Amino acid sequence: RCGTMDLSASFSEASLLDGSASAPGRCWPLAWMHSMRLATAGIFRHPALALGDRFDYIALVNADLFLVRPPPVDPFMLLHRCGCTMAYDRFSVEVPGCYDGFQEILGRAGLPHPMIGTGVASIGGQLLVARLSLMLSETYLSIADYLAEGIYLHRWGDQLFFAAAIQAMQTQGNDEKWGGPDDPAVTDFAGSYGVCLHDMFFDLIEPHNLSGWTGSAAEAEALYGRSPLLIHRKGSWRDGRVWW
């Protein structure tokens, strides 16, 4: 346990504390791996969310992602009106080297996963806007716990877990716990695995080169045709107030 959040998984807590859960030679900091475990399961077990009686939707925004202007549509209203389980720009193919063994581990448990061609699909890594009941379901959390060791051994990111969540909903779409057979996510939006795909997050997926931008919206319009919505500075961004 970490405070009031249940972070239990199949690997030992001692290995998390002494750092041995991090595979040899990993270039990703252990703190990042912990953050993935938190984002994929721990936060959904927090008392403020776990009962599911206070909120209908959730947004998780990474610390190195900045929204610098309002999105063109309200993503929560999009979910409410359309009945989707998640709102994002598009599915992506996970980067080779970041899903080693992922399909094999899923296969052992008989779990399917969305694919794009022959590539492993991912979604919602930097910014998750989703129906909270999806993330609180026993089905998803059991999958997250089952896959958790891969975060530390193979650098599996949250975007793989979220894709597994929406696949599970489609597979078990008739379950009343998920909304039942009339849920729009498994009827109207089955072709996109229950996701509302909208270009409001385009700048997250295809970021502009912002090296010459000083922050002025007018300047951005002149340089890039429009001002950015999201800025992802990745590991190069450091601030004295926010540090791993």
Side-chain angles (χ1 to χ4, degrees):
R1 290 184 178 275
C2 177
T4 58
M5 298 185 184
D6 184 359
L7 302 179
S8 61
S10 58
F11 46 83
S12 68
E13 293 184 2
S15 68
L16 295 180
L17 296 176
D18 64 18
S20 61
S22 177
R26 288 289 106 183
C27 61
W28 294 85
L30 186 60
W32 177 87
M33 298 177 190
H34 288 337
S35 76
M36 289 297 97
R37 180 60 175 145
L38 179 68
T40 56
I43 195 169
F44 303 118
R45 289 177 167 131
H46 190 280
L49 300 177
L51 294 179
D53 58 354
R54 298 179 60 187
F55 307 101
D56 295 319
Y57 308 104
I58 188 171
L60 298 180
V61 184
N62 283 14
D64 56 357
L65 181 70
F66 303 87
L67 282 80
V68 294
R69 62 181 173 86
V73 300
D74 183 333
F76 300 108
M77 190 60 68
L78 186 66
L79 292 177
H80 176 70
R81 290 179 175 175
C82 296
C84 309
T85 56
M86 192 180 297
Y88 208 64
D89 171 79
R90 70 184 76 173
F91 286 88
S92 301
V93 176
E94 186 58 296
V95 178
C98 292
Y99 60 89
D100 293 347
F102 184 74
Q103 292 163 286
E104 290 78 6
I105 294 296
L106 284 175
R108 290 176 194 171
L111 296 171
H113 189 82
M115 303 291 290
I116 300 177
T118 59
V120 175
S122 62
I123 193 169
Q126 283 293 318
L127 177 60
L128 173 72
V129 181
R131 189 191 298 179
L132 182 57
S133 61
L134 173 70
M135 315 312 296
L136 295 182
S137 69
E138 294 180 7
T139 299
Y140 167 68
L141 289 174
S142 66
I143 292 174
D145 287 345
Y146 174 68
L147 296 174
E149 190 172 13
I151 296 173
Y152 296 90
L153 295 180
H154 304 296
R155 190 250 175 253
W156 295 347
D158 50 0
Q159 62 268 22
L160 288 174
F161 287 64
F162 300 149
I166 57 176
Q167 172 70 76
M169 180 169 188
Q170 296 302 311
T171 303
Q172 303 182 23
N174 290 327
D175 190 332
E176 291 296 335
K177 294 180 180 178
W178 294 83
D182 296 326
D183 190 325
V186 295
T187 55
D188 299 344
F189 292 92
S192 58
Y193 295 93
V195 180
C196 279
L197 298 174
H198 193 283
D199 65 0
M200 65 177 140
F201 302 137
F202 180 79
D203 293 306
L204 172 63
I205 309 300
E206 300 290 345
H208 295 294
N209 181 354
L210 300 175
S211 59
W213 184 51
T214 62
S216 164
E219 179 186 31
E221 291 287 349
L223 288 173
Y224 313 112
R226 58 175 174 168
S227 60
L229 166 62
L230 299 141
I231 298 177
H232 181 206
R233 296 295 296 274
K234 297 187 178 180
S236 63
W237 177 75
R238 288 290 183 269
D239 184 287
R241 296 163 298 172
V242 182
W243 198 267
W244 285 116

